Amino acid sequence: MTGTGEAERSLPGIVIAALSLAIMPFLSAAQRKAGRELGSASAVADSKQTLLCTYLSAVLLVGLVLNATLGWSWADPIAALVIAAIAVKEGRDARILAAYGGIFVAGSIAWGMVADGYRPDRYDVIGALVCLAGMAVIMYAPRGN
């Protein structure tokens, strides 16, 4: 959010986020139904994570569309902060969401490179590495419990 470059519009990103937003609720419902039929608590729990991905896709789509239509290049980083806030709110599932968050940040930069020809500067790279390192600490730190 403090870099000198402007985020570019990403039509492929908008399409993928919109498809994800359209598909994820149905996928979540199917996972939940199958989990209940199989008596699998983990499948039901995974359906909740998939539903959370629906909300994350919605936030991402809003950021991308605001940038594309109004030129609000800051909307995408704000969307990332909203996603981070959602992750914090999830509490007990924070470890899983930390993994999603770290991969999301690094993956967004990688996607920009591949799909849009974006060239990350050193701050993009450092920020992505910090996110991945934070994710690793949260996921793999030794705990006494």
Side-chain angles (χ1 to χ4, degrees):
M1 293 186 348
T2 61
T4 58
E6 293 288 320
E8 295 183 20
R9 296 177 176 124
S10 175
L11 183 58
I14 291 171
V15 170
I16 290 170
L19 286 171
S20 177
L21 183 59
I23 293 168
M24 287 296 185
F26 298 105
L27 179 59
S28 174
Q31 284 177 314
R32 188 171 36 258
K33 180 181 177 191
R36 287 181 179 153
E37 288 173 358
L38 296 171
S40 172
S42 64
V44 172
D46 192 48
S47 76
K48 292 176 184 176
Q49 289 298 317
T50 302
L51 189 59
L52 178 63
C53 288
T54 302
Y55 305 135
L56 299 179
S57 295
V59 172
L60 172 64
L61 183 60
V62 167
L64 291 172
V65 168
L66 287 174
N67 182 38
T69 59
L70 301 176
W72 293 358
S73 60
W74 50 265
D76 194 39
I78 296 297
L81 290 175
V82 170
I83 289 169
I86 291 169
V88 168
K89 182 183 174 291
E90 287 301 304
R92 286 182 19 184
D93 296 329
R95 291 182 190 153
I96 294 168
L97 293 173
Y100 286 148
I103 298 301
F104 177 81
V105 171
S108 294
I109 291 172
W111 174 256
M113 292 170 60
V114 172
D116 298 329
Y118 175 73
R119 298 189 61 155
D121 62 20
R122 68 178 176 226
Y123 299 109
D124 294 325
V125 174
I126 291 168
L129 291 174
V130 166
C131 288
L132 291 172
M135 175 211 59
V137 168
I138 291 169
M139 293 296 294
Y140 302 112
R143 297 187 185 346
N145 52 6

